Amino acid sequence: MNTPPKLTQADTVCQRIRTEILQGVLLPGEKLNIKALEQRFEVSLGAIREALSRLGAEGLVVAEAHRGYHVTPVSREELLDLTHTRVEIEGLCLRKAIAQGDVEWESRIVAAAHRMERLQEQASDQEARRSSAWNQAHAEFHIALVDACQSPWLLRMRETLYAQSERYRLMSVPLDTDHHRDVRGEHRRLMDAVLRRDADEAVRAVREHFFATVDIILRSPRLQ
């Protein structure tokens, strides 16, 4: 049995800062004081610098000459560009998965959807969608949908776009007060299309699913 590699200080700090950015603890545009992070996480300065460098490669932080590191800002333009690009890549992954997937792949989708829905039943819709357990189940559901895609490069690009989109999706949850978004229905529609092997409907469903988040955010004053 293979033993998983031990996490380094940089690995741990990178994970913690990434989580804080995605959950909105560290706000878009916020300055990241390296010395303060070193003291807060009780790790070496080198581990902080390595972690920030990795997050910079992921696009979650930016480094500016003489100004240090900041959390990457959010904007209307980036949200739209990111979402259009994500729809294109996700659509390609879905089409390949639908063409290549087997019965075991279908079973993984159903199991992931069931777990996500059960977690959503245990709390109010907004409370569930803010919880780390539901967010992990949500990520696993979307991974399961494309799991049969046999293109490692497409899947890597998809993973990067998903991580970037999480900041916006989590931002949209508390803003969804007037529209009462049917997230459960959106996921069911997407799953049903994939299981029917209806690639065109699956791509339409994922596009509308992604842009439902965009619509909520753009109606708010946050990105005006």
Side-chain angles (χ1 to χ4, degrees):
M1 180 177 178
N2 293 330
T3 302
K6 185 177 180 180
L7 292 178
T8 65
Q9 285 188 339
D11 294 331
T12 301
V13 172
C14 187
Q15 288 179 3
R16 291 180 66 181
I17 295 176
R18 183 190 293 112
T19 298
E20 291 189 4
I21 290 172
L22 294 179
Q23 293 183 346
V25 177
L26 293 170
L27 299 174
E30 183 172 339
K31 181 175 175 58
L32 298 171
N33 185 296
I34 292 179
K35 192 66 179 175
L37 291 172
E38 179 188 8
Q39 294 173 351
R40 179 155 75 94
F41 293 124
E42 299 180 333
V43 297
S44 69
L45 184 61
I48 296 294
R49 291 189 181 279
E50 183 180 342
L52 291 176
S53 177
R54 291 186 199 174
L55 293 167
E58 294 177 24
L60 291 174
V61 304
V62 290
E64 298 181 39
H66 311 298
R67 294 189 61 198
Y69 287 94
H70 292 74
V71 178
T72 302
V74 295
S75 70
R76 178 190 185 96
E77 292 73 21
E78 190 208 28
L79 172 60
L80 290 170
D81 184 32
L82 173 62
T83 308
H84 281 294
T85 305
R86 191 177 172 210
V87 167
E88 293 296 325
I89 297 300
E90 196 87 13
L92 288 172
C93 291
L94 280 172
R95 289 184 185 279
K96 285 183 175 292
I98 287 169
Q100 298 164 346
D102 56 15
V103 174
E104 285 70 26
W105 166 66
E106 293 179 357
S107 299
R108 291 195 295 274
I109 293 172
V110 173
H114 176 72
R115 179 168 181 265
M116 183 175 58
E117 288 205 356
R118 287 302 299 270
L119 287 170
Q120 209 160 344
E121 290 171 358
Q122 295 172 14
S124 72
D125 185 74
Q126 282 207 359
E127 287 175 340
R129 288 194 283 141
R130 290 180 181 180
S131 72
S132 58
W134 189 88
N135 286 323
Q136 180 62 37
H138 176 254
E140 290 170 359
F141 169 72
H142 279 281
I143 290 170
L145 290 171
V146 299
D147 193 37
C149 171
Q150 296 173 17
S151 170
W153 273 109
L154 275 177
L155 291 174
R156 282 191 207 112
M157 287 187 283
R158 181 211 161 268
E159 183 179 2
T160 297
L161 293 166
Y162 184 91
Q164 291 291 327
S165 298
E166 276 295 272
R167 285 202 301 164
Y168 288 100
R169 187 184 66 77
L170 290 167
M171 185 190 303
S172 77
V173 174
L175 298 174
D176 185 21
T177 55
D178 299 326
H179 308 101
H180 304 295
R181 181 178 177 186
D182 183 11
V183 174
R184 204 175 299 185
E186 292 173 27
H187 287 140
R188 285 175 180 168
R189 176 191 172 194
L190 178 54
M191 178 180 69
D192 289 347
V194 169
L195 295 179
R196 292 197 313 270
R197 308 296 177 118
D198 187 340
D200 290 340
E201 171 60 14
V203 171
R204 279 193 295 271
V206 84
R207 177 184 176 82
E208 292 177 19
H209 179 53
F210 292 169
F211 272 96
T213 297
V214 174
D215 291 343
I216 289 170
I217 295 174
L218 293 186
R219 288 192 187 103
S220 80
R222 296 282 293 274
L223 292 187
Q224 299 302 317

